[in-house]
Amino acid sequence: MLTACSSSSSVTTVEEIQDMPVHVVHAQNNATADNATVNNCYKENAARLSELQYSLKTNMLQDVKTSEVLDTHSDAHRVFAALSKLEQISSMNETYRKDGNIAGLKAINEMLKPLKATV
């Protein structure tokens, strides 16, 4: 059973990710961010997203059955929903980097700060 493998902190992290509002942040027209700042913020966000994704996959998706993934009441389904949300955030991170949108990158950074990787 999947629940036996997941700790309460894991479940809490999944719930926090699922409940996280993801807002689009438009770049300030007059704010010009230098490439180094944009790239540093992007890389920090990308590393954090990767850490969270890896943690969820390795700690909560061991020995998962297909039926669990499709069961909307299972932990596995919730983990996959959280992973999908992290993938959306990752796409936004990439878009903000391409656009030089430092405000968007910083918003993602702030959104990810309270999340803890599962143990």
Side-chain angles (χ1 to χ4, degrees):
M1 176 132 191
L2 184 64
T3 359
C5 298
S6 62
S7 69
S8 63
S9 69
S10 300
V11 174
T12 302
T13 300
V14 169
E15 291 170 352
E16 287 175 16
I17 293 169
Q18 286 180 309
D19 295 340
M20 184 184 314
V22 181
H23 303 288
V24 175
V25 178
H26 298 285
Q28 306 294 342
N29 290 340
N30 56 358
T32 321
D34 65 278
N35 284 338
T37 303
V38 169
N39 286 330
N40 286 339
C41 199
Y42 164 78
K43 287 178 184 177
E44 187 177 329
N45 292 345
R48 185 74 178 118
L49 287 162
S50 180
E51 174 188 317
L52 288 165
Q53 290 167 331
Y54 177 79
S55 178
L56 289 176
K57 288 175 185 177
T58 57
N59 295 317
M60 297 191 71
L61 293 178
Q62 299 300 314
D63 303 320
V64 172
K65 297 177 182 84
T66 306
S67 60
E68 291 174 308
V69 175
L70 301 175
D71 177 5
T72 59
H73 301 289
S74 75
D75 285 342
H77 182 80
R78 288 188 268 291
V79 171
F80 275 99
L83 288 169
S84 293
K85 172 89 59 116
L86 290 174
E87 188 60 38
Q88 288 175 326
I89 296 168
S90 182
S91 293
M92 289 176 71
N93 192 48
E94 182 67 33
T95 300
Y96 290 157
R97 181 192 62 82
K98 288 178 184 175
D99 294 345
N101 183 346
I102 194 70
L105 291 168
K106 286 182 178 181
I108 289 174
N109 188 282
E110 288 301 314
M111 185 176 25
L112 296 175
K113 274 187 182 176
L115 297 177
K116 300 201 177 6
T118 58
V119 239

